[in-house]
């Protein structure tokens, strides 16, 4: 038997048009996502909403590193005795804890109140980048999402939200690596880079990692 969780990733003001790090057309998914949450045929056992939740001096901010926005960065591992590095991108300041930009979009926040679903924060340790809602990029610091899904005996994870090519993708890949059946519902996501070449690369990365894009 499958026990289904819907993970609604980072539908926050800063990722919407007019926000600090807008995902093009991100606002278009808000009403569809609410309908999906409320669809009785889906039989969601749990719905979880995630928030990117950064301190003001987060390591992923261009301002923190005194570099131009969207420039590349090489992160050093936070794991003791690990000398590995990872390539990343420096972002405009976004989703700073407790600011307007970090709040869930109004209609999503209303829905959260209405159904009383779990909110999982990520990105709150200043010295490391996070894309997956399960952990930092080093898979070292784990968020509450891990124990929450375990304790509710979830088998299948469906991921929607923003941005398809960052947090949605990495959350779904983490879920697959942790042994869940992992799906992304494409119509309920939008990407930062949505040109055909980027989409093809994304599709390949997902299938290599056992994530189904529906
Ligand atoms: C995200 C870039 C930086 C996301 C978060 O939620 O996709 N993207 N922080
Ligand atoms: Zn972020």
């Amino acid at each position: 038997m499958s026990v289904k969780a819907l993970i609604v990733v980072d539908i926050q003001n800063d990722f919407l048009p007019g926000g600090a790090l807008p995902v093009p057309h991100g606002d278009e998914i808000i009403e569809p996502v609410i309908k999906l949450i409320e669809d009785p045929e889906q039989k969601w056992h749990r719905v979880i909403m995630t928030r990117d939740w950064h301190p003001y001096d987060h390591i992923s901010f261009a301002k923190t590193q005194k570099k131009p926005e969207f420039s590349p960065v090489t992160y050093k591992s936070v794991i003791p005795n690990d000398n590995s590095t990872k390539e990343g991108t420096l972002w405009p300041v976004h989703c700073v804890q407790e600011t307007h930009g970090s709040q869930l979009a109004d209609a999503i926040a209303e829905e959260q109140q209405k159904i009383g679903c779990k909110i999982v924060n990520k990105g709150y340790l200043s010295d490391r980048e996070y894309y997956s809602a399960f952990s930092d990029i080093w898979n070292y610091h784990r968020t509450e999402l891990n124990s929450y899904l375990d304790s509710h005996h979830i088998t299948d994870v469906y991921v929607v939200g923003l941005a398809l090519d960052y947090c949605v993708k990495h959350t779904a890949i983490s879920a697959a690596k942790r042994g869940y059946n992992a799906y992304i519902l494409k119509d309920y996501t939008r990407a930062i880079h949505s040109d055909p070449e980027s989409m093809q690369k994304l599709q390949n990365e997902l299938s290599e990692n056992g994530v189904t894009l529906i």
Side-chain angles (χ1 to χ4, degrees):
M1 212 192 63
S2 64
V3 183
K4 293 169 49 173
L6 177 66
I7 304 186
V8 178
V9 173
D10 298 2
I11 308 190
Q12 294 165 274
N13 292 321
D14 270 344
F15 293 125
L16 296 172
L21 182 46
V23 180
H25 306 286
D27 52 329
E28 293 171 1
I29 68 169
I30 295 176
E31 286 311 317
V33 165
I34 290 170
K35 290 209 174 80
L36 180 70
I37 292 171
E38 299 206 340
D39 181 358
E41 298 197 348
Q42 294 292 343
K43 301 198 183 347
W44 303 119
H45 186 61
R46 282 294 179 281
V47 175
I48 299 109
M49 295 183 181
T50 75
R51 294 190 299 201
D52 207 27
W53 197 247
H54 294 310
Y56 72 98
D57 59 350
H58 193 252
I59 194 169
S60 77
F61 296 164
K63 191 174 173 217
T64 307
Q65 311 248 12
K66 300 189 172 65
K67 297 241 177 73
E69 293 178 352
F70 303 104
S71 54
V73 61
T74 303
Y75 291 119
K76 291 196 179 110
S77 179
V78 296
I79 304 170
N81 305 317
D82 175 19
N83 293 320
S84 70
T85 60
K86 278 186 197 288
E87 301 309 310
T89 301
L90 291 174
W91 306 108
V93 173
H94 65 278
C95 296
V96 174
Q97 296 167 9
E98 308 295 352
T99 61
H100 173 76
S102 67
Q103 303 307 304
L104 295 173
D106 288 348
I108 295 289
E110 264 175 51
E111 184 65 17
Q112 189 277 329
Q113 292 269 319
K114 182 173 159 188
I115 64 171
C117 67
K118 176 81 178 166
I119 296 179
V120 169
N121 293 329
K122 67 177 166 67
Y124 47 86
L125 297 181
S126 57
D127 66 345
R128 62 198 68 190
E129 176 64 302
Y130 297 65
Y131 290 128
S132 165
F134 286 89
S135 71
D136 61 31
I137 57 171
W138 308 102
N139 193 21
Y140 191 57
H141 168 253
R142 291 167 178 238
T143 68
E144 259 189 302
L145 185 56
N146 299 271
S147 56
Y148 188 80
L149 296 183
D150 277 354
S151 65
H152 293 286
H153 310 289
I154 299 300
T155 60
D156 294 15
V157 167
Y158 291 76
V159 189
V160 301
L162 304 172
L164 172 60
D165 40 350
Y166 287 94
C167 292
V168 170
K169 173 181 86 173
H170 287 282
T171 298
I173 291 174
S174 287
K177 288 195 167 145
R178 285 163 165 73
Y180 299 101
N181 299 312
Y183 306 89
I184 293 174
L185 303 176
K186 194 165 183 273
D187 290 350
Y188 303 85
T189 70
R190 290 292 183 275
I192 294 180
H193 304 287
S194 58
D195 56 286
E197 196 188 333
S198 304
M199 284 298 111
Q200 189 56 56
K201 272 174 82 175
L202 174 78
Q203 174 66 260
N204 295 345
E205 200 180 340
L206 293 177
S207 28
E208 281 161 20
N209 285 283
V211 175
T212 307
L213 186 65
I214 304 176

